[in-house]
Amino acid sequence: MTGGGLLVAGTTSDAGKSVVTAGICRWLVRQGVKVAPFKAQNMSLNSFVTKEGAEIGRAQAMQAQACRIEPSALMNPVLLKPGGERSSQVVLLGRPVGEMSARGYHGGRQQRLLGTVVDCLAELRGTYDAVICEGAGSPAEINLRRTDIVNMGIARSARLPVLVVGDIDRGGVFASFFGTVALLSPEDQELVAGFLVNKFRGDVSLLEPGLDMLHGLTGRRTYGVLPFRHGLGIDEEDGLRVSLRGTVRESSVSPPVGEDVLRVAVCAIPLMSNFTDVDALAAEPGVVVRFVDRPEELADADLVVVPGTRGTVRALEWLRERGLADALARRAAEGRPVLGICGGFQILGEHIEDDVESRRGRVDGLGLLPVRVRFAAEKTLTRPAGEALGERVEGYEIHHGVATVTGGEPFLDGCRAGSVWGTHWHGSLESDGFRRAFLREVAAAAGRRFVPAPDTSFAALREEQLDRLGDLIEQHADTDALWRLVESGAPPGLPFVPPGAPA
């Protein structure tokens, strides 16, 4: 028997599809429903490694956590990792299969992947009671509809009802809802069941006349009005820009346990990936995290983090152009803490031999760590575990660079030289004991009377966040009507809204 399904689409990118999908998943699992997330195609530099060694978008990994299940490659069969404005690495079923331009991908490759994503969704629906799918961008991208596999393409193929989410906080939500439906073909419109308003501020009774008029214009109802809440974003998809909407990054800093706060500056390097690594730092009371792009912003930082990137050589050049490379060198000479993670770790080394990512050959690194890096064609995708600073640590690795450590003290898979640390391990700071031990080292090196809180649990904070998303759906959406959509599909007889898709 095939399980039920629902596609959560949006009027725009960043309308709240990821959050709503996670919220519906958490609400369903609390009702005893066996549920899984799905996104046919994701474009993201924030990714995760599953237990079987597959790379998927972090948003789908977080949605799997909302479902209280292990993430798998089936939940995100196609992942695009931008390497610039015009090309991306294509990751299929968790493994990279090559670089491709946007024109080449939409010119034919994407449509050929439709069978793969339909099969993955069918396998999930054969295993779970319900699968909550997330779309991408807008379903009314009329220039891309012919090759679409993530919005109406998958909805048509799998006969999924579609719920369209709109962000009312940015304005124009009624026009966006109406226009989205009116630009779809009659066959696509048959599946668009209705709308969900996201990020509403104020008195809902003032909005209701507009919702009634929207129903009259489209024949489709609104399934809920979700209020604006700070800190409800889950792990970001868009790594081409810095966004600080994550729970801990947006929350106010709790008072420190000790006498001092600890200031963390994260270099906002190009093509920054997995910048969610610093969320665990920001979760600590008294730790202030900010993203920076000027050398003077490092002056009062107690710790500088050079994060991961999909363009290591490009990021290295950017650091030099901005004067940040010199500022990092001064910090190291003064014994002030620096942490490099993945691409950031590679940047801090002596040199990089890259014939894979940038194809620039040998490039000098910053020389702050005794490490030499060679880029391999095969990507490392692992979930390592070990011990550092006397504490158990778990993480995940996603990189082409192979590091040879020639000195310093061991630190996870990398090394430490003075006050400079480097590792390929993403997610290591989510290990509570290790994070506290690391922050004590940083505070001592920085001369700060900072004391880590003894009881901060990052996993518990994540669970609390997911429960808040489930509460939002339960309290502000028509959950009975949502379940009918999941179980039975779009209501029959939905009217056509002209003009429809252009020929």
Side-chain angles (χ1 to χ4, degrees):
M1 180 177 176
T2 300
L6 174 69
L7 176 70
V8 179
T11 56
T12 61
S13 295
D14 208 31
K17 298 183 292 292
S18 296
V19 167
V20 169
T21 300
I24 294 174
C25 286
R26 177 48 61 101
W27 163 68
L28 282 172
V29 81
R30 293 194 309 206
Q31 311 310 307
V33 177
K34 189 179 177 185
V35 59
F38 178 80
K39 185 162 185 172
Q41 172 199 294
N42 200 345
M43 178 173 279
S44 179
L45 285 171
N46 285 334
S47 57
F48 181 77
V49 179
T50 68
K51 280 191 172 179
E52 66 267 27
E55 185 179 10
I56 65 171
R58 273 197 68 96
Q60 278 61 65
M62 187 62 66
Q63 289 161 357
Q65 187 177 343
C67 298
R68 298 181 178 142
I69 58 176
E70 274 292 325
S72 91
L74 292 174
M75 298 169 187
N76 179 206
V78 182
L79 173 63
L80 305 179
K81 302 195 72 175
E85 297 297 326
R86 294 176 180 270
S87 68
S88 294
Q89 182 180 67
V90 180
V91 179
L92 179 62
L93 293 173
R95 294 286 171 181
V97 293
E99 297 278 335
M100 187 165 289
S101 69
R103 179 177 293 275
Y105 185 67
H106 290 287
R109 176 65 181 269
Q110 183 181 34
Q111 183 64 22
R112 292 197 296 273
L113 294 173
L114 180 60
T116 299
V117 302
V118 168
D119 289 346
C120 289
L121 176 57
E123 186 169 342
L124 287 173
R125 293 181 76 181
T127 306
Y128 292 89
D129 301 329
V131 179
I132 307 304
C133 309
E134 180 187 343
S138 160
E141 306 287 359
I142 54 178
N143 56 317
L144 302 177
R145 176 61 185 92
R146 182 178 60 84
T147 58
D148 170 56
I149 65 171
V150 67
N151 290 306
M152 300 313 299
I154 190 70
R156 284 266 293 276
S157 295
R159 302 307 299 170
L160 295 172
V162 179
L163 182 70
V164 181
V165 178
D167 178 359
I168 197 170
D169 193 51
R170 66 174 65 187
V173 76
F174 290 115
S176 298
F177 281 146
F178 180 85
T180 296
V181 179
L183 280 175
L184 298 177
S185 69
E187 295 80 7
D188 285 350
Q189 287 193 25
E190 286 177 3
L191 297 171
V192 179
F195 314 108
L196 187 76
V197 176
N198 193 26
K199 301 182 189 176
F200 179 72
R201 306 175 192 247
D203 185 347
V204 176
S205 67
L206 298 176
L207 185 67
E208 287 171 349
L211 300 179
D212 291 339
M213 286 185 271
L214 181 67
H215 184 271
L217 288 165
T218 66
R220 290 158 175 84
R221 57 165 298 182
T222 298
Y223 285 77
V225 178
L226 307 185
F228 188 97
R229 292 284 188 270
H230 283 286
L232 287 180
I234 64 172
D235 292 357
E236 298 292 342
E237 291 189 353
D238 193 350
L240 289 176
R241 60 181 172 80
V242 178
S243 178
L244 310 183
R245 291 192 300 105
T247 299
V248 293
R249 278 170 276 149
E250 195 177 62
S251 61
S252 58
V253 177
S254 303
V257 175
E259 296 179 48
D260 289 344
V261 299
L262 207 64
R263 295 173 177 84
V264 178
V266 184
C267 295
I269 57 180
L271 296 174
M272 183 167 45
S273 62
N274 287 64
F275 54 83
T276 48
D277 282 331
V278 300
D279 282 355
L281 294 177
E284 286 286 347
V287 175
V288 182
V289 176
R290 66 184 188 273
F291 287 79
V292 304
D293 61 2
R294 298 192 300 271
E296 58 269 24
E297 294 177 296
L298 304 189
D300 67 343
D302 302 306
L303 169 67
V304 174
V305 178
V306 186
T309 173
R310 249 281 281 162
T312 306
V313 171
R314 178 178 167 187
L316 180 57
E317 292 172 342
W318 181 88
L319 288 167
R320 288 185 166 123
E321 290 165 2
R322 292 271 178 155
L324 286 159
D326 290 339
L328 288 168
R330 287 193 297 272
R331 285 187 67 89
E334 294 165 1
R336 302 176 67 199
V338 176
L339 171 65
I341 302 174
C342 200
F345 167 42
Q346 297 166 9
I347 284 168
L348 298 179
E350 295 169 358
H351 67 253
I352 298 167
E353 293 182 22
D354 180 12
D355 295 317
V356 175
E357 193 174 78
S358 69
R359 296 181 173 85
R360 294 281 298 277
R362 179 167 169 149
V363 178
D364 288 337
L366 298 187
L368 306 184
L369 287 175
V371 174
R372 296 166 188 168
V373 177
R374 177 185 55 81
F375 271 62
E378 187 76 16
K379 182 184 280 192
T380 297
L381 295 168
T382 63
R383 289 268 292 269
E387 188 175 298
L389 305 179
E391 300 286 346
R392 179 76 176 167
V393 195
E394 295 181 358
Y396 57 98
E397 295 184 49
I398 306 169
H399 55 91
H400 283 280
V402 178
T404 301
V405 177
T406 61
E409 302 172 39
F411 178 71
L412 301 175
D413 71 315
C415 65
R416 173 185 182 178
S419 61
V420 181
W421 292 266
T423 176
H424 277 126
W425 289 22
H426 293 292
S428 61
L429 294 167
E430 295 180 18
S431 298
D432 297 326
F434 168 73
R435 181 179 65 254
R436 287 192 277 270
F438 176 71
L439 289 176
R440 281 193 290 269
E441 294 263 351
V442 168
R448 292 285 185 189
R449 290 171 293 183
F450 169 84
V451 179
D455 56 356
T456 302
S457 167
F458 189 73
L461 287 172
R462 284 295 200 200
E463 275 297 300
E464 185 180 302
Q465 175 195 26
L466 293 168
D467 276 331
R468 290 177 67 203
L469 296 179
D471 293 343
L472 202 68
I473 296 298
E474 188 169 339
Q475 295 165 12
H476 300 282
D478 186 338
T479 52
D480 288 341
L482 279 179
W483 177 244
R484 285 195 296 272
L485 283 184
V486 172
E487 197 173 34
S488 305
L494 291 169
F496 173 70
V497 179

